[in-house]
Amino acid sequence: MAKRLGIIPSLFARPLFHLFAKGNDALPEFLITEDIPAHLAIKLREKSLDAAFLSPVDYARDYAMYALIPGTCVAAENGAMSAILIFKENLRKISTLAVSPTSSSEIVLADIVCAERFDGMPVIVPYQGSPADGLRKADAVLCTGDTALAESGRTSKLDLAEEWSDMTGLPFVHGVWVTRRNGLTRGEAESIESVSRRSIDAFMPDEAERAYLRNFRYILDERSRSGLTEFFRMAYYYGILGDLPDIRFVSFEDDGSAFPGAAV
């Protein structure tokens, strides 16, 4: 039976999912679902997916039952415009922040940046609709993914990934491949990693996409792992995460069945 995978639709993740998004005819061993990370997290938890591309916070909430598929991720550095705060003109302090509940890791990132840079966390105000709707409810609005790109021309904005890189010297990891314990065989996990890497090489962005994507990285290397570890540490320090999650990569018994490997 084909395994069920969840991927996200944002432009910044498109190089990673270029081959997956071609559909099941190209990858008959997988059934592909495209949705926002928060919905994918629910589906993976409820076992309607076997692996999914989740935000770090969604991994952290259930890390004891999960493991990461190594090799690839989506991470941003230095003006990537993947997560921004837009705010009212001449604003001196962000007291309230309008957010979509679907942007879990970016909400935590906004809290960390505000605490580190501005000595306080804003009150979170959930909202639905356009960024303009959010600004009618709060001092600032968190925009992520394609919405952040659409709002990037504003003058009154703060690039959260850039602030994170300035603070830590590390990339901010937006998403990672996650599977449940015994969710995949060795061959299936290796296939996901291999197709992800081939997708990065095969993706041919146009000029505008290339300009936007130049500040993203897709290999889960030592710097990206360090960025992920530091994000978890700071989220735990500020009381946003109740536990400090281990970063565990999928490993396999001799018979090929999966189990979470040692923490790194």
Side-chain angles (χ1 to χ4, degrees):
M1 178 181 293
K3 289 299 175 74
R4 302 154 299 174
L5 307 184
I7 63 175
I8 63 175
S10 300
L11 173 58
F12 66 58
R14 198 170 297 165
L16 194 63
F17 301 135
H18 174 63
L19 295 180
F20 291 99
K22 286 182 176 294
N24 298 320
D25 290 341
L27 297 164
E29 68 270 43
F30 299 124
L31 295 175
I32 309 300
T33 295
E34 189 174 70
D35 207 338
I36 61 174
H39 293 170
L40 295 180
I42 294 170
K43 291 173 183 177
L44 185 62
R45 190 182 311 119
E46 293 178 346
K47 300 184 179 180
S48 58
L49 291 174
D50 299 294
F53 197 78
L54 301 189
S55 76
V57 165
D58 290 321
Y59 164 78
R61 286 172 176 158
D62 293 300
Y63 74 92
M65 60 186 287
Y66 289 155
L68 303 183
I69 298 171
T72 57
C73 68
V74 174
E77 284 189 290
N78 302 327
M81 291 295 166
S82 54
I84 64 173
L85 299 186
I86 62 171
F87 44 87
K88 298 172 180 177
E89 297 289 340
N90 302 316
L91 186 71
R92 295 187 177 182
K93 182 180 180 181
I94 299 175
S95 298
T96 53
L97 175 62
V99 305
S100 166
T102 61
S103 304
S104 54
S105 285
E106 290 80 9
I107 295 170
V108 173
L109 175 62
D111 275 343
I112 291 171
V113 169
C114 287
E116 288 283 309
R117 295 297 209 198
F118 308 113
D119 299 319
M121 295 181 183
V123 175
I124 298 299
V125 180
Y127 88 102
Q128 292 181 330
S130 69
D133 295 328
L135 282 177
R136 284 191 281 271
K137 299 182 67 174
D139 296 327
V141 178
L142 172 62
C143 300
T144 64
D146 294 349
T147 302
L149 177 59
E151 298 292 329
S152 62
R154 289 179 178 262
T155 55
S156 298
K157 66 178 181 295
L158 185 71
D159 186 322
L160 294 175
E162 185 171 32
E163 293 292 324
W164 172 261
S165 294
D166 287 345
M167 285 163 33
T168 65
L170 296 167
F172 176 74
V173 177
H174 282 284
V176 285
W177 274 115
V178 179
T179 185
R180 294 187 314 278
R181 182 185 180 96
N182 296 321
L184 301 171
T185 65
R186 183 196 303 272
E188 290 162 347
E190 290 175 347
S191 181
I192 290 171
E193 181 181 357
S194 173
V195 173
S196 297
R197 288 180 178 269
R198 286 191 284 116
S199 292
I200 298 166
D201 293 336
F203 183 66
M204 300 294 289
D206 60 31
E207 186 175 348
E209 290 172 336
R210 189 179 299 109
Y212 171 62
L213 295 171
R214 68 177 182 273
N215 289 319
F216 290 91
R217 28 191 320 124
Y218 298 97
I219 302 303
L220 188 55
D221 56 13
E222 192 62 38
R223 291 191 70 245
S224 294
R225 288 189 193 185
S226 297
L228 195 59
T229 299
E230 182 65 6
F231 176 68
F232 288 151
R233 187 194 69 79
M234 294 185 76
Y236 177 70
Y237 174 80
Y238 282 109
I240 302 168
L241 292 178
D243 194 9
L244 187 60
D246 294 329
I247 297 177
R248 295 180 181 272
F249 291 92
V250 68
S251 186
F252 297 89
E253 303 283 9
D254 290 341
D255 63 2
S257 60
F259 68 98
V264 296

